[in-house]
Amino acid sequence: EFLVESGVDGAFAQNAQASLQILPMGAPAPLDIAAIAARCAPPIEAGVLGWIASPQEAHLKFGPRWRVLQSTALGDGEGLATLALPQAAAGDAEAGYLLHPGMMDLATGWAMKLIAGYAAQHLWVPVSYRSVKVYAPLPAQVVSWVRNARDNTSDSEIASFDITLAAPDG
């Protein structure tokens, strides 16, 4: 079992909990990034800012380590994004961040437009992960392939996605 708490003056609040298992796993098959990209519209690329603002930034103030989104492309119930750690996060892997928080947050939460009826005034953020399989630390550059895991609509309480993160070569 895994539990994360924070607190002040001896009073603690639970922030996260999980059950951890170390399972024998072979390497996953590589993603065919070109095939996924071919099913999506042409990508939107980062502009002069050097990153694409997340839809959630209408509600949340992200710091410089969350400026990771480089390109996004949407298809029918799926999307493909490229992400890269900014200069502000250059030393974070050496500091022990093997699944960088900014990268994980945006890699799993960038595709809100796959939710039917989504509008910027809706706040949707990753609140839980049903299952996470980690094969290696996240590299400084990743691709995020997001698929609707159900009929996601803006009038539902939650949206559910299947997400695969991979190195740029798949």
Side-chain angles (χ1 to χ4, degrees), residues 124-138:
W124 293 79
V125 295
V127 294
S128 71
Y129 299 103
R130 179 175 294 151
S131 174
V132 177
K133 294 179 183 175
V134 179
Y135 296 93
L138 285 179

Side-chain angles (χ1 to χ4, degrees), residues 56 104-106 108-110 112 124-129:
Q56 294 88 334
M104 286 294 293
D105 188 23
L106 273 287
T108 60
W110 70 269
M112 298 299 105
W124 293 79
V125 295
V127 294
S128 71
Y129 299 103

